[in-house]
Amino acid sequence: MTATTASDLAAWRAYSTAHDRLAAHLSRELTRATGLSEADYQILDALLDAPGGRMRALELRWVLQWEKSRLSHQVGRMAKRGLLGRESCAEDARGWDIALTAEGREAAARARQVREHSVRHVVLDTLGPDRLAGLAEAAALLSARLERAAEEDPSCRAARAELFPEPPSPG
């Protein structure tokens, strides 16, 4: 392992600052155009791609990397607004599914259009193809490293085992 240099930390700070500013900008654009919060969007966008527009709450927590209470409160707020419904899970009576309503599906589709336009305008048009290829490569490297870190973390292993149980070994 090499020592961290001042320029290494400066690069990290520059990335971190740009990431935070981009996230805030995208969130403002989304709210201005749709009235949805970033948390609303994250749930709606994940469900829009799920089969039947529904997902087990535990799986959605895993996808979003959210705590149980955060998801529960957010889903409750969105259900009151008619965007989502909570339904008993057919596979596990202890669990529940989160499902898009017709209104939620429309809101998700509109939000996705707004987000794609904002990303195109601010990120894609700014970086161009060569820098985007580098960004994709860096993201893939970081994702692989984070996957290994999750495998090394006992709490992540336990959460993954709860969501994706191992089939019983043959006899």
Side-chain angles (χ1 to χ4, degrees), residues 73-94:
H73 290 297
Q74 185 64 35
V75 166
R77 288 188 291 270
M78 293 173 74
K80 285 179 185 172
R81 293 176 12 231
L83 300 171
L84 303 174
R86 290 185 196 186
E87 301 170 9
S88 296
C89 179
E91 295 87 30
D92 181 359
R94 298 172 300 154

Side-chain angles (χ1 to χ4, degrees), residues 80-132:
K80 285 179 185 172
R81 293 176 12 231
L83 300 171
L84 303 174
R86 290 185 196 186
E87 301 170 9
S88 296
C89 179
E91 295 87 30
D92 181 359
R94 298 172 300 154
W96 43 282
D97 289 346
I98 301 169
L100 287 172
T101 62
E103 185 179 340
R105 187 172 299 282
E106 288 177 26
R110 173 72 178 124
R112 187 175 276 179
Q113 288 177 330
V114 168
R115 177 55 50 92
E116 288 174 2
H117 176 268
S118 296
V119 167
R120 186 178 327 104
H121 178 70
V122 175
V123 179
L124 308 181
D125 292 347
T126 301
L127 295 180
D130 292 338
R131 287 190 178 102
L132 281 175

